[in-house]
Amino acid sequence: MKGAVAAGHVKTAEAAMRMYELGGNAFDACLAALAAACVVEPVLTSLGGGGFLLARRIDSRPLLYDFFVQTPRQRRARDEADFYPVIADFGTAQQEFHIGAGSIATPGTIRGLVGTHDRLGSLPLAEILAPAMEYASEGVPVNALQAYIFSIVSPIYRATPAAEALYGGEALQGEGTMFHQPALAETLAWLSAEGDAPFYQGEIAQRLVTLCIDQGGHLQLADLENYRIIERVPLQHRYRGYHVATNPGPSSGGTLINFALSLLDHQDMAAADFGSAAHLKTLAHVMARTNLAREDGILSRFTRHSRLLEEYLAQIAGHPVNNRGTTHISTIDGQGNSASLTLSNGEGSGQLVPDTGIMLNNMLGEEDLNPAGFNRWPCDVRVSSMMAPTLAEDHRHLIAIGSGGSNRLRTAILQTLSNLIDFAMSPEQAVNAPRIHFERDRLDIEPGFAAEAIAALVANYPDHRTWTSQNLFFGGTHTVCWDGRQFSGAGDPRRGGVFRCRHAS
């Protein structure tokens, strides 16, 4: 099968390409990459986290599969929960995260992997999981990006004896160290034989629940038994002749991208040179207005878009938002099937399901889930997210795109899409082009824009920061394109991106 992938690690992309070589479709490739990413990108994703897959079969409309985390059905008392802060050191700044068994939400990744395979896959599950099993068993070298991320969050990956035993001896030793995960390889083999039943009804479920009972977590067996994939109709917008589909409510990232595109509809972007003062001022203005759109009570400021904003506020009501770190995978095959998948494990809770190698998420430690104070999240609710897997197509082009980068991912996707559509850039040019990001009244600017354009821009944004190099702060828009004959694409270098394609059947 002809096909292409863009992802955040060479082994993640390799797993996808192996599926194409076996005759698999874009969904087989995407799911093999998912499993591989849980092995080789362990801080960014895990079988103990969750995600969103936007999939389009060649003969049908796009469909969003929501297998993000769910809040537990019941809360333990605050003084019974294992929940505490750790400090991550970014060098130039520090950030507080909250971890422990009391930070674990109901994981969805394994059900998402198996359930979407049942619906979309063409190869056996054992074939899908084989590359990940190999990487976990034989080991993979820790690359520069993973070493850097491990160095930032090392307190989490040393937080418990189990975490220290798995990560302290190899993964935390720096770039080039071989990282072996034999327990995870055994777990993947177990799942390949029995599907998701061990994790949601069987022995792994019992281990997870026992850990929570003993260590101060909230999850009970009913949380796992009742977890379901939710199928959602994507949010769609027609932009310059392209049908753009993205993650709908209750998640917020896709809705905000849609809103920003609706603002760009009224601007002649192609008339301004990329990186000109006019172009950058338009982008910054759209980002500022989109940020205001996240706030309640501002609909009167945007009467032209009041319906969209009212729908947005209604959709996210009661669904706490998670803004944590992520990774992304895009795939398209030669038949025109396309997939965009974004995954997250937060930063990890420090707790592993015993004897499985699965690091569990810390999604309940997100401050936005607890506006009234920690341990007050709403019970039994699907968590919202900024993650926004996106597909776009016109009469002959397909684009699969998405990004990691917490709240910055929506501006990264917006700018890369605009680069592709408005400025007719190649995927490599569109992804590598410098970006800006506006949030909380501060404008961040990557290097690469002309000095006179930056000077004109910052005159209106006194609170700004100019970066000296590209940085993962600005997201990672791993992108695949297909024109019916040839694949093109780019992995974002800001997040270790890799693009691979196979043109021969």
Side-chain angles (χ1 to χ4, degrees):
M1 172 77 76
K2 295 187 290 186
V5 60
H9 192 286
V10 64
K11 290 293 187 181
T12 304
E14 178 186 88
M17 295 310 296
R18 286 169 62 171
M19 298 305 105
Y20 291 133
E21 292 167 4
L22 292 170
N25 61 27
F27 313 118
D28 297 315
C30 189
L31 295 175
L34 181 164
C38 291
V39 177
V40 303
E41 303 176 53
V43 181
L44 298 177
T45 191
S46 166
L47 295 177
F52 301 89
L53 170 62
L54 181 57
R56 179 191 177 278
R57 291 182 182 273
I58 183 60
D59 57 352
S60 62
R61 295 179 178 179
L63 187 63
L64 190 285
Y65 298 91
D66 177 345
F67 51 91
F68 201 46
V69 299
Q70 185 99 352
T71 60
R73 297 160 74 88
Q74 295 181 4
R75 284 194 301 266
R76 294 178 73 155
R78 177 67 181 89
D79 59 1
E80 295 179 1
D82 174 45
F83 186 85
Y84 56 96
V86 294
I87 300 298
D89 189 349
F90 290 81
T92 57
Q94 293 185 330
Q95 185 173 352
E96 183 177 270
F97 297 122
H98 290 80
I99 65 170
S103 70
I104 304 167
T106 308
T109 296
I110 290 175
R111 177 134 290 166
L113 169 61
V114 175
T116 57
H117 171 262
D118 290 343
R119 294 164 170 85
L120 302 169
S122 65
L123 297 174
L125 184 61
E127 297 280 9
I128 301 292
L129 298 181
M133 285 188 275
E134 176 186 312
Y135 304 152
S137 177
E138 298 181 4
V140 292
V142 177
N143 66 17
L145 176 64
Q146 298 302 315
Y148 170 66
I149 300 172
F150 268 125
S151 72
I152 293 171
V153 297
S154 61
I156 298 173
Y157 288 77
R158 297 184 185 276
T160 63
E164 174 68 32
L166 177 58
Y167 299 100
E170 293 181 346
L172 294 172
Q173 298 308 306
E175 182 181 358
T177 306
M178 290 296 290
F179 180 35
H180 297 80
Q181 300 171 78
L184 185 56
E186 293 179 4
T187 300
L188 288 163
W190 194 354
L191 298 175
S192 73
E194 300 186 32
D196 62 16
F199 191 88
Y200 292 94
Q201 293 94 28
E203 185 173 334
I204 299 176
Q206 292 291 346
R207 294 181 195 177
L208 173 51
V209 171
T210 299
L211 179 147
C212 287
I213 292 171
D214 294 345
Q215 300 295 327
H218 303 278
L219 294 182
Q220 301 178 14
L221 193 58
D223 292 302
L224 298 168
E225 290 177 337
N226 289 284
Y227 183 87
R228 298 289 183 270
I229 298 172
I230 300 175
E231 296 183 6
R232 303 187 192 277
V233 176
L235 188 63
Q236 302 209 37
H237 182 80
R238 188 169 180 84
Y239 183 72
R240 317 274 200 243
Y242 277 79
H243 292 279
V244 180
T246 189
N247 199 1
S251 285
S252 54
T255 305
L256 295 172
I257 290 172
N258 193 354
F259 176 71
L261 287 173
S262 74
L263 295 177
L264 289 181
D265 280 336
H266 306 284
Q267 306 294 325
D268 188 359
M269 298 293 284
D273 291 334
F274 175 86
S276 65
H279 171 231
L280 296 182
K281 286 179 179 179
T282 297
L283 282 179
H285 179 66
V286 166
M287 291 177 191
R289 293 188 73 183
T290 304
N291 282 345
L292 286 174
R294 298 177 63 191
E295 303 171 9
D296 201 352
I298 49 77
L299 296 184
S300 60
R301 302 188 193 183
F302 304 107
T303 55
R304 179 183 298 172
H305 304 282
S306 61
R307 180 188 58 80
L308 176 61
L309 292 176
E310 286 168 358
E311 290 177 358
Y312 163 65
L313 294 172
Q315 288 166 343
I316 67 171
H319 293 267
V321 179
N322 177 273
N323 291 321
R324 292 305 176 83
T326 53
T327 192
H328 181 80
I329 299 159
S330 295
T331 59
I332 302 177
D333 66 35
Q335 294 179 340
N337 298 301
S338 53
S340 179
L341 169 68
T342 315
L343 302 160
S344 179
N345 197 43
E347 297 77 35
S349 65
Q351 292 282 356
L352 285 83
V353 181
D355 302 318
T356 66
I358 298 175
M359 171 65 78
L360 293 158
N361 69 81
N362 67 326
M363 302 296 190
L364 299 182
E366 173 69 69
E367 290 187 19
D368 283 355
L369 268 68
N370 300 272
F374 285 117
N375 211 54
R376 295 185 181 181
W377 31 264
C379 292
D380 199 23
V381 170
R382 185 60 52 97
V383 175
S384 174
S385 173
M386 277 291 169
M387 292 190 280
T390 300
L391 299 173
E393 60 179 305
D394 67 1
H395 62 284
R396 73 182 186 93
H397 296 95
L398 294 176
I399 301 170
I401 186 173
S403 179
S406 64
N407 193 41
R408 280 93 58 197
L409 64 83
R410 59 188 172 84
T411 58
I413 294 169
L414 175 72
Q415 290 171 88
T416 305
L417 273 178
S418 177
N419 292 345
L420 289 167
I421 297 171
D422 291 315
F423 298 104
M425 291 185 183
S426 70
E428 188 172 8
Q429 292 170 327
V431 169
N432 291 340
R435 297 175 189 150
I436 65 173
H437 176 75
F438 183 80
E439 184 178 0
R440 295 179 180 175
D441 296 324
R442 184 171 71 183
L443 183 66
D444 284 279
I445 308 164
E446 275 194 312
F449 296 112
E452 57 271 20
I454 295 300
L457 176 65
V458 301
N460 296 319
Y461 298 93
D463 186 2
H464 63 270
R465 175 171 55 177
T466 302
W467 294 64
T468 58
S469 62
Q470 285 189 334
N471 191 278
L472 55 79
F473 174 88
F474 292 90
T477 54
H478 308 318
T479 303
V480 174
C481 301
W482 168 243
D483 65 4
R485 295 178 296 108
Q486 296 289 321
F487 295 105
S488 57
D492 198 321
R494 299 166 182 83
R495 287 179 172 253
V498 177
F499 170 72
R500 297 286 185 270
C501 66
R502 184 174 190 266
H503 286 292
S505 297

